[in-house]
Amino acid sequence: MSIGAACSSESKSIDGVTAAAVIVTILAWASAFPAIRAGLQAFGPIELGALRFAVAAVPAALFLAVTRPAWPTFSDFVRLAVGGLLFVALYTALLNMGEMTVSAGAASFIINTNPIMTAGLAMLVLGERFSSRAWAGTALSFAGIGLIAFGEGQGVRLDTGALLILGAALCNSVTTVVQKPLFARHKPLTVSAWNMVLGSLVLASWLPNGAAQFSAAPPAAVQAVIYLGLVPSLVAYGTWAIALSRLPASRASNFMYCVPPVATLLGFLWLGEVPTTLGAIGGIMALAGVAVVNWRR
């Protein structure tokens, strides 16, 4: 079966497993932004990424050792290496460095260029179809994320931090399209585990500095590192792989527009951060756009 045909069959409906994988991914990645900000109080941006994925790589490596999946072919290993290099190492380094100067709302606006990039790449490379209605829903979500960003009162400036986060979004999009064919031959959790193990190896040279910072870090920063490694990394990368294996790349990425509104809701429930009127309207628009893309008669 061709990739285009597979994508067509995948797009008919979302079953319970797929829905659960999407929901867990959204919740976990929404919680990552405040955790990253907490970790950056005590760790350098790349050191934080190195420690985060060192925590995630240990159980991931144990998973591979216990399940002993089929060894990837050279072509598949290249795709896995792209995930380790781009989706783990470079993505987390660029995002962490960008968040040092860019506000959370602006960062969420920039990182959410990712679904647009992914949809375009998936159409060109994978032969996926993205209807005019889906593009309209994507535009609605993107406009909503823009309102969330501007609702913070700081706007979005095209400075170095913004460009770094834009690079992180591109890393995500490229990896999504490059790794989509892997799921025809490998289980999603296997792909996710390889990503984390290979990515942690790329970041390993920053571990000594990270360990030194870890020994002097306050408890809140230490907890942030452990949380980032276990939930937004180990769990969410796995559930994202499950979602991507069961949905077209363009449609799976579109669900990530739910992350900023959910992050805003979590901030309200956990921290008492009341969203602005623009932020609330933007969140509703972002969720409505996702609903438009996934509406089925």
Side-chain angles (χ1 to χ4, degrees):
M1 180 185 293
S2 67
I3 293 174
C7 292
S8 177
S9 64
E10 287 173 318
S11 63
K12 291 180 180 178
S13 62
I14 296 179
D15 60 21
V17 173
T18 308
V22 168
I23 291 170
V24 171
T25 305
I26 290 169
L27 290 173
W29 281 351
S31 68
F33 288 96
I36 289 172
R37 290 199 300 273
L40 288 173
Q41 301 301 313
F43 300 101
I46 306 182
E47 287 80 4
L48 176 61
L51 289 168
R52 168 184 176 176
F53 283 99
V55 171
V58 172
L62 289 174
F63 172 81
L64 292 174
V66 171
T67 59
R68 303 178 73 175
W71 192 255
T73 63
F74 177 77
S75 175
D76 285 353
F77 190 81
V78 170
R79 293 180 185 274
L80 292 168
V82 167
L85 176 62
L86 295 186
F87 194 32
V88 173
L90 193 55
Y91 174 88
T92 192
L94 292 174
L95 179 60
N96 290 356
M97 288 189 290
E99 278 207 53
M100 295 183 72
T101 59
V102 176
S103 67
S108 68
F109 174 73
I110 298 166
I111 205 70
N112 273 290
T113 57
N114 162 42
I116 298 174
M117 295 179 190
T118 302
L121 287 172
M123 290 174 68
L124 291 173
V125 178
L126 301 178
E128 291 186 4
R129 294 186 294 275
F130 210 54
S131 66
S132 57
R133 178 172 54 80
W135 279 114
T138 296
L140 178 62
S141 291
F142 191 62
I145 302 304
L147 287 183
I148 293 174
F150 285 101
E152 289 191 348
Q154 300 178 29
V156 179
R157 302 184 307 275
L158 194 62
D159 56 11
T160 302
L163 292 174
L164 291 172
I165 295 175
L166 188 63
L170 181 60
C171 288
N172 192 337
S173 297
V174 171
T175 303
T176 297
V177 173
V178 168
Q179 291 201 330
K180 175 64 177 173
L182 286 174
F183 300 112
R185 300 178 292 277
H186 301 277
K187 293 181 179 179
L189 294 183
T190 299
V191 174
S192 173
W194 273 114
N195 282 341
M196 282 179 281
V197 170
L198 295 174
S200 68
L201 292 176
V202 175
L203 293 167
S205 57
W206 283 272
L207 270 179
N209 284 342
Q213 295 171 4
F214 190 90
S215 62
V222 171
Q223 292 167 7
V225 168
I226 296 172
Y227 177 80
L228 283 168
L230 294 179
V231 181
S233 300
L234 183 66
V235 173
Y237 273 60
T239 54
W240 169 246
I242 293 172
L244 184 58
S245 71
R246 303 167 74 93
L247 292 170
S250 53
R251 190 175 172 199
S253 292
N254 186 267
F255 278 107
M256 294 306 103
Y257 280 124
C258 296
V259 171
V262 172
T264 300
L265 178 61
L266 291 176
F268 173 70
L269 294 176
W270 290 355
L271 306 175
E273 297 176 345
V274 180
T276 64
T277 302
L278 276 180
I281 295 172
I284 294 171
M285 288 173 60
L287 297 175
V290 173
V292 168
V293 171
N294 291 278
W295 180 265
R296 293 293 178 273
R297 291 196 178 107

